[in-house]
Amino acid sequence: MSLAVLDGGTYFHHAAIYGARYRDLFDRAIYAPEFAPEHLKGVKLLIVPDRINPDLLRARRQILIDFAERGGTLVVLGENQADTWLPGVKWTFRPTNFWWWLEKDARPEQRLVAPNHELFRAVPFADTIWHFHGVLKPPPHAQTLIDVPPDREGRDAGGALLYDDRVTTAGRLIVSTLDPFYHHGSNFMPATTKFLDGFLPWARRLATA
Amino acid sequence: MKPALALSCGFPDGAMANLTSHPDAVGRITARDTYDLPALDLNAFGSLLVSMHIDQRFLASRAEQIAGFLHDGGTVIANGHLAYPFLPGITGFHPLENYGLGDLAVLRLIDHPIWAGVSENELTFRRGVAGFYGRAWHEPPQGATIVHALGNPDRPLDFIYRIGKGRVLFHGGNDLWQYGGADSAGRILPQLLNWMFSGESAS
């Protein structure tokens, strides 16, 4: 069984997927505009990186849903408008504070909700902390891994930044608002590289176990 | 002057919206989906605007169409890192490795109307943080006008060159139209529009 990743064709997807740092972890990279059911033969875990053109994902949503319904694990990262194509996803926009770490006595809002989840043996919580684009309301019985409290300005009730949903489909949906492919692939924000340094080998272990 | 064509990438692009809603641009920039490119007659447009978020792998499959547009006198304004060969002339791309603050300093090598009155310091830093404007450098073709370099004059960041009757403006970082703010970098947006629609020579 193998690990596959969708490739949106941008320079940052190119750098993250085909760059020397991670390319050996992926068994298959699937160019999103050509994505078809046969690409998922033998695939156990498919990563949908952040910032794939959401029109392409909406047009191929049934392939993704069928994969999860067959027992596959789908990792869906941020800025993909997953709420428009993936079952169970409810997302609320929150204006991005890129500058939280410059504020006086800066403390990140993120909270580690499930410290015993297997992911955190591979990815230290500290490596999941950077700005975020909106919050998720996980389906009932999904496990929230990281969340944030309600917006200080009352624009949302808070919610998850990362959850693990083994309920909505026969497989597993790991859904996040985080956007590490974009920032790592843009040669910016070392936290996102540290995140992928732990996350991608973990995903590979899940895919090949 | 023909309208400009902005290729969209499937999601709302706030920075591009800043550009298209600018008083100097209203009604002069047409947005079309990137994947509609094969069906478009580029002769209807004066400029092609390419965001850092675009599917470059697809654009590379349209390299001939883009080169033809340039040869016939079109302007291409492209942002980001060049991962796939969709533009003629650029021969190499180098992300900065293990960079320090000095490597991220934006250096102006020559004055240019697009960046007139824009402080190098305000390109280098946003709220004291360096690196938004560029973190990589490219190898432009011989004879290109290199306006900015990154940390070292040998690392071109912004450059302009001619292809046939047309011209390419390449910015190897975050989209130029993100710079609409209150500091001197806010001058880029109207000055870019002026350059784009004036069709002056590649100087």
Side-chain angles (χ1 to χ4, degrees):
Chain A
M1 297 298 268
S2 62
L3 172 63
V5 61
L6 280 187
D7 167 17
T10 69
Y11 77 80
F12 44 87
H13 293 129
H14 183 270
I17 295 169
Y18 303 104
R21 196 177 189 99
Y22 303 127
R23 66 181 163 222
D24 293 338
L25 295 171
F26 303 113
D27 296 300
R28 190 175 301 166
I30 305 162
Y31 180 44
E34 296 169 354
F35 178 36
E38 59 265 28
H39 293 130
L40 294 177
K41 208 169 281 175
V43 172
K44 185 171 178 188
L45 190 150
L46 172 68
I47 298 175
V48 180
D50 43 284
R51 296 182 197 246
I52 300 282
N53 183 323
D55 288 340
L56 299 178
L57 297 170
R58 280 187 285 268
R60 290 158 182 79
R61 68 191 297 254
Q62 204 54 49
I63 306 174
L64 294 159
I65 294 167
D66 289 349
F67 171 71
E69 288 294 358
R70 287 197 308 272
T73 295
L74 206 51
V75 171
V76 179
L77 296 171
E79 297 296 276
N80 279 321
Q81 299 182 355
D83 53 313
T84 65
W85 55 268
L86 187 63
V89 177
K90 291 197 174 70
W91 178 82
T92 306
F93 170 75
R94 188 188 287 191
T96 307
N97 178 7
F98 289 104
W99 311 101
W100 63 270
W101 49 288
L102 294 177
E103 289 165 10
K104 192 170 181 297
D105 304 321
R107 282 182 51 210
E109 294 180 81
Q110 286 91 329
R111 302 182 296 204
L112 177 56
V113 180
N116 294 324
H117 190 278
E118 57 185 309
L119 171 66
F120 297 109
R121 289 200 290 274
V123 181
F125 174 53
D127 294 348
T128 67
I129 294 174
W130 64 90
H131 66 262
F132 53 93
H133 304 275
V135 295
L136 297 161
K137 184 183 178 196
H141 309 299
Q143 184 181 22
T144 295
L145 306 189
I146 296 171
D147 77 354
V148 292
D151 179 47
R152 289 177 195 141
E153 295 174 36
R155 291 170 294 201
D156 63 65
L161 303 188
L162 175 63
Y163 70 77
D164 185 354
D165 175 5
R166 300 172 190 243
V167 183
T168 300
T169 64
R172 188 172 178 187
L173 307 176
I174 297 171
V175 183
S176 181
T177 61
L178 296 174
D179 54 354
F181 278 70
Y182 170 56
H183 291 290
H184 164 74
S186 294
N187 205 24
F188 209 17
M189 293 183 49
T192 60
T193 302
K194 287 188 203 159
F195 175 85
L196 290 177
D197 281 350
F199 185 81
L200 293 177
W202 177 73
R204 178 163 187 85
R205 287 196 290 279
L206 281 190
T208 54
Chain B
M1 193 71 195
K2 294 174 184 176
L5 172 65
L7 295 175
S8 59
C9 307
F11 65 93
D13 181 345
M16 178 57 83
N18 283 341
L19 186 72
T20 55
S21 63
H22 190 278
D24 296 345
V26 172
R28 305 175 83 184
I29 301 178
T30 303
R32 295 293 295 269
D33 191 271
T34 299
Y35 300 112
D36 289 341
L37 190 54
L40 294 177
D41 175 9
L42 291 182
N43 284 325
F45 303 98
S47 303
L48 180 63
L49 308 183
V50 179
S51 156
M52 65 189 293
H53 296 289
I54 207 157
D55 177 352
Q56 290 189 9
R57 184 165 165 173
F58 173 76
L59 276 198
S61 76
R62 305 303 306 167
E64 226 171 283
Q65 186 186 15
I66 294 167
F69 172 67
L70 283 163
H71 279 282
D72 292 345
T75 295
V76 173
I77 302 174
N79 301 270
H81 302 167
L82 195 73
Y84 295 88
F86 69 88
L87 279 175
I90 301 177
T91 53
F93 155 65
H94 307 272
L96 292 182
E97 306 280 355
N98 303 314
Y99 51 77
L101 200 53
D103 297 311
L104 297 173
V106 178
L107 306 178
R108 180 157 303 139
L109 306 187
I110 189 171
D111 287 331
H112 189 278
I114 294 174
W115 291 274
V118 177
S119 131
E120 288 160 87
N121 200 51
E122 285 173 346
L123 292 178
T124 303
F125 295 102
R126 273 167 84 176
R127 301 199 195 189
V129 180
F132 283 90
Y133 195 73
R135 298 162 306 278
W137 58 281
H138 291 76
E139 293 174 44
Q142 287 281 331
T145 300
I146 302 167
V147 180
H148 292 120
L150 198 54
N152 177 322
D154 295 336
R155 297 177 188 154
L157 173 59
D158 289 299
F159 50 87
I160 298 166
Y161 60 95
R162 295 217 76 114
I163 293 287
K165 287 185 274 182
R167 53 190 186 162
V168 175
L169 161 57
F170 190 84
H171 168 63
N174 290 9
D175 287 343
L176 278 175
W177 30 90
Q178 288 184 9
Y179 292 83
D183 64 12
S184 70
R187 299 175 68 112
I188 292 176
L189 216 134
Q191 291 175 174
L192 177 70
L193 287 167
N194 187 52
W195 181 82
M196 199 164 99
F197 289 120
S198 69
E200 67 191 40
S201 66
S203 57

